PDB file of all heavy atoms in Angstrom:
ATOM      1  N   LEU A 209     -46.880  -2.871 -14.261  1.00  0.00           N
ATOM      2  CA  LEU A 209     -46.877  -3.910 -15.297  1.00  0.00           C
ATOM      3  C   LEU A 209     -45.541  -4.634 -15.438  1.00  0.00           C
ATOM      4  O   LEU A 209     -45.464  -5.852 -15.514  1.00  0.00           O
ATOM      5  CB  LEU A 209     -47.333  -3.293 -16.632  1.00  0.00           C
ATOM      6  CG  LEU A 209     -47.874  -4.269 -17.695  1.00  0.00           C
ATOM      7  CD1 LEU A 209     -49.039  -5.052 -17.173  1.00  0.00           C
ATOM      8  CD2 LEU A 209     -48.256  -3.499 -18.956  1.00  0.00           C
ATOM      9  N   ALA A 210     -44.487  -3.803 -15.435  1.00  0.00           N
ATOM     10  CA  ALA A 210     -43.127  -4.392 -15.637  1.00  0.00           C
ATOM     11  C   ALA A 210     -42.740  -5.348 -14.516  1.00  0.00           C
ATOM     12  O   ALA A 210     -41.901  -6.233 -14.712  1.00  0.00           O
ATOM     13  CB  ALA A 210     -42.094  -3.276 -15.751  1.00  0.00           C
ATOM     14  N   GLN A 211     -43.386  -5.177 -13.346  1.00  0.00           N
ATOM     15  CA  GLN A 211     -43.070  -6.057 -12.196  1.00  0.00           C
ATOM     16  C   GLN A 211     -43.709  -7.441 -12.350  1.00  0.00           C
ATOM     17  O   GLN A 211     -43.283  -8.387 -11.747  1.00  0.00           O
ATOM     18  CB  GLN A 211     -43.547  -5.442 -10.893  1.00  0.00           C
ATOM     19  CG  GLN A 211     -42.752  -4.225 -10.438  1.00  0.00           C
ATOM     20  CD  GLN A 211     -43.356  -3.660  -9.201  1.00  0.00           C
ATOM     21  OE1 GLN A 211     -44.388  -3.017  -9.201  1.00  0.00           O
ATOM     22  NE2 GLN A 211     -42.747  -4.008  -8.055  1.00  0.00           N
ATOM     23  N   ILE A 212     -44.789  -7.488 -13.135  1.00  0.00           N
ATOM     24  CA  ILE A 212     -45.520  -8.771 -13.196  1.00  0.00           C
ATOM     25  C   ILE A 212     -45.406  -9.453 -14.579  1.00  0.00           C
ATOM     26  O   ILE A 212     -45.983 -10.524 -14.766  1.00  0.00           O
ATOM     27  CB  ILE A 212     -46.997  -8.555 -12.867  1.00  0.00           C
ATOM     28  CG1 ILE A 212     -47.716  -7.642 -13.872  1.00  0.00           C
ATOM     29  CG2 ILE A 212     -47.186  -8.044 -11.458  1.00  0.00           C
ATOM     30  CD1 ILE A 212     -49.250  -7.764 -13.845  1.00  0.00           C
ATOM     31  N   VAL A 213     -44.661  -8.822 -15.479  1.00  0.00           N
ATOM     32  CA  VAL A 213     -44.587  -9.391 -16.829  1.00  0.00           C
ATOM     33  C   VAL A 213     -43.159  -9.598 -17.280  1.00  0.00           C
ATOM     34  O   VAL A 213     -42.295  -8.721 -17.015  1.00  0.00           O
ATOM     35  CB  VAL A 213     -45.281  -8.458 -17.861  1.00  0.00           C
ATOM     36  CG1 VAL A 213     -45.199  -9.078 -19.253  1.00  0.00           C
ATOM     37  CG2 VAL A 213     -46.707  -8.146 -17.474  1.00  0.00           C
ATOM     38  N   SER A 214     -42.872 -10.749 -17.844  1.00  0.00           N
ATOM     39  CA  SER A 214     -41.580 -10.970 -18.502  1.00  0.00           C
ATOM     40  C   SER A 214     -41.916 -11.310 -19.988  1.00  0.00           C
ATOM     41  O   SER A 214     -43.026 -11.783 -20.285  1.00  0.00           O
ATOM     42  CB  SER A 214     -40.851 -12.140 -17.925  1.00  0.00           C
ATOM     43  OG  SER A 214     -40.551 -11.921 -16.577  1.00  0.00           O
ATOM     44  N   TRP A 215     -40.974 -11.112 -20.847  1.00  0.00           N
ATOM     45  CA  TRP A 215     -41.155 -11.461 -22.271  1.00  0.00           C
ATOM     46  C   TRP A 215     -40.164 -12.522 -22.630  1.00  0.00           C
ATOM     47  O   TRP A 215     -38.991 -12.343 -22.536  1.00  0.00           O
ATOM     48  CB  TRP A 215     -40.994 -10.211 -23.127  1.00  0.00           C
ATOM     49  CG  TRP A 215     -41.949  -9.162 -22.828  1.00  0.00           C
ATOM     50  CD1 TRP A 215     -41.925  -8.260 -21.819  1.00  0.00           C
ATOM     51  CD2 TRP A 215     -43.185  -8.865 -23.526  1.00  0.00           C
ATOM     52  NE1 TRP A 215     -43.028  -7.436 -21.827  1.00  0.00           N
ATOM     53  CE2 TRP A 215     -43.810  -7.755 -22.881  1.00  0.00           C
ATOM     54  CE3 TRP A 215     -43.790  -9.421 -24.661  1.00  0.00           C
ATOM     55  CZ2 TRP A 215     -45.025  -7.242 -23.324  1.00  0.00           C
ATOM     56  CZ3 TRP A 215     -45.004  -8.880 -25.086  1.00  0.00           C
ATOM     57  CH2 TRP A 215     -45.608  -7.811 -24.397  1.00  0.00           C
ATOM     58  N   ASP A 216     -40.689 -13.663 -23.005  1.00  0.00           N
ATOM     59  CA  ASP A 216     -39.918 -14.834 -23.471  1.00  0.00           C
ATOM     60  C   ASP A 216     -39.131 -15.551 -22.376  1.00  0.00           C
ATOM     61  O   ASP A 216     -38.924 -16.760 -22.480  1.00  0.00           O
ATOM     62  CB  ASP A 216     -38.962 -14.456 -24.626  1.00  0.00           C
ATOM     63  CG  ASP A 216     -39.718 -13.997 -25.854  1.00  0.00           C
ATOM     64  OD1 ASP A 216     -40.800 -14.610 -26.107  1.00  0.00           O
ATOM     65  OD2 ASP A 216     -39.287 -13.098 -26.546  1.00  0.00           O
ATOM     66  N   ARG A 217     -38.616 -14.813 -21.397  1.00  0.00           N
ATOM     67  CA  ARG A 217     -37.815 -15.444 -20.371  1.00  0.00           C
ATOM     68  C   ARG A 217     -38.043 -14.729 -19.063  1.00  0.00           C
ATOM     69  O   ARG A 217     -38.160 -13.504 -19.080  1.00  0.00           O
ATOM     70  CB  ARG A 217     -36.323 -15.350 -20.830  1.00  0.00           C
ATOM     71  CG  ARG A 217     -35.407 -16.174 -20.033  1.00  0.00           C
ATOM     72  CD  ARG A 217     -33.980 -16.058 -20.581  1.00  0.00           C
ATOM     73  NE  ARG A 217     -33.070 -16.622 -19.626  1.00  0.00           N
ATOM     74  CZ  ARG A 217     -32.880 -17.932 -19.469  1.00  0.00           C
ATOM     75  NH1 ARG A 217     -33.545 -18.775 -20.239  1.00  0.00           N
ATOM     76  NH2 ARG A 217     -32.037 -18.430 -18.589  1.00  0.00           N
ATOM     77  N   PHE A 218     -38.108 -15.458 -17.970  1.00  0.00           N
ATOM     78  CA  PHE A 218     -38.391 -14.822 -16.677  1.00  0.00           C
ATOM     79  C   PHE A 218     -37.321 -13.721 -16.398  1.00  0.00           C
ATOM     80  O   PHE A 218     -36.123 -13.972 -16.453  1.00  0.00           O
ATOM     81  CB  PHE A 218     -38.390 -15.825 -15.543  1.00  0.00           C
ATOM     82  CG  PHE A 218     -38.834 -15.227 -14.248  1.00  0.00           C
ATOM     83  CD1 PHE A 218     -40.163 -15.081 -13.946  1.00  0.00           C
ATOM     84  CD2 PHE A 218     -37.910 -14.738 -13.331  1.00  0.00           C
ATOM     85  CE1 PHE A 218     -40.578 -14.513 -12.759  1.00  0.00           C
ATOM     86  CE2 PHE A 218     -38.297 -14.160 -12.143  1.00  0.00           C
ATOM     87  CZ  PHE A 218     -39.639 -14.038 -11.858  1.00  0.00           C
ATOM     88  N   ASP A 219     -37.826 -12.514 -16.118  1.00  0.00           N
ATOM     89  CA  ASP A 219     -36.914 -11.388 -15.863  1.00  0.00           C
ATOM     90  C   ASP A 219     -36.502 -11.468 -14.394  1.00  0.00           C
ATOM     91  O   ASP A 219     -37.336 -11.218 -13.491  1.00  0.00           O
ATOM     92  CB  ASP A 219     -37.666 -10.107 -16.178  1.00  0.00           C
ATOM     93  CG  ASP A 219     -36.816  -8.880 -15.903  1.00  0.00           C
ATOM     94  OD1 ASP A 219     -35.694  -9.028 -15.356  1.00  0.00           O
ATOM     95  OD2 ASP A 219     -37.269  -7.770 -16.266  1.00  0.00           O
ATOM     96  N   MET A 220     -35.193 -11.775 -14.177  1.00  0.00           N
ATOM     97  CA  MET A 220     -34.747 -11.970 -12.773  1.00  0.00           C
ATOM     98  C   MET A 220     -34.767 -10.692 -11.965  1.00  0.00           C
ATOM     99  O   MET A 220     -34.675 -10.775 -10.728  1.00  0.00           O
ATOM    100  CB  MET A 220     -33.309 -12.590 -12.783  1.00  0.00           C
ATOM    101  CG  MET A 220     -33.330 -14.024 -13.158  1.00  0.00           C
ATOM    102  SD  MET A 220     -34.405 -15.054 -12.098  1.00  0.00           S
ATOM    103  CE  MET A 220     -33.414 -15.190 -10.623  1.00  0.00           C
ATOM    104  N   ASN A 221     -34.979  -9.527 -12.602  1.00  0.00           N
ATOM    105  CA  ASN A 221     -35.160  -8.297 -11.811  1.00  0.00           C
ATOM    106  C   ASN A 221     -36.393  -8.411 -10.954  1.00  0.00           C
ATOM    107  O   ASN A 221     -36.565  -7.678  -9.975  1.00  0.00           O
ATOM    108  CB  ASN A 221     -35.313  -7.084 -12.757  1.00  0.00           C
ATOM    109  CG  ASN A 221     -34.007  -6.734 -13.345  1.00  0.00           C
ATOM    110  OD1 ASN A 221     -32.967  -6.839 -12.708  1.00  0.00           O
ATOM    111  ND2 ASN A 221     -34.050  -6.297 -14.612  1.00  0.00           N
ATOM    112  N   ASN A 222     -37.291  -9.289 -11.372  1.00  0.00           N
ATOM    113  CA  ASN A 222     -38.537  -9.440 -10.604  1.00  0.00           C
ATOM    114  C   ASN A 222     -38.534 -10.628  -9.681  1.00  0.00           C
ATOM    115  O   ASN A 222     -39.580 -10.989  -9.106  1.00  0.00           O
ATOM    116  CB  ASN A 222     -39.712  -9.516 -11.581  1.00  0.00           C
ATOM    117  CG  ASN A 222     -39.987  -8.195 -12.224  1.00  0.00           C
ATOM    118  OD1 ASN A 222     -39.825  -7.154 -11.581  1.00  0.00           O
ATOM    119  ND2 ASN A 222     -40.353  -8.175 -13.499  1.00  0.00           N
TER     120      ASN A 222
END
Side-chain angles (χ1 to χ4, degrees):
L209 199 56
Q211 290 178 282
I212 63 162
V213 181
S214 298
W215 298 80
D216 295 325
R217 191 178 169 77
F218 187 84
D219 179 353
M220 286 304 284
N221 286 324
N222 288 324

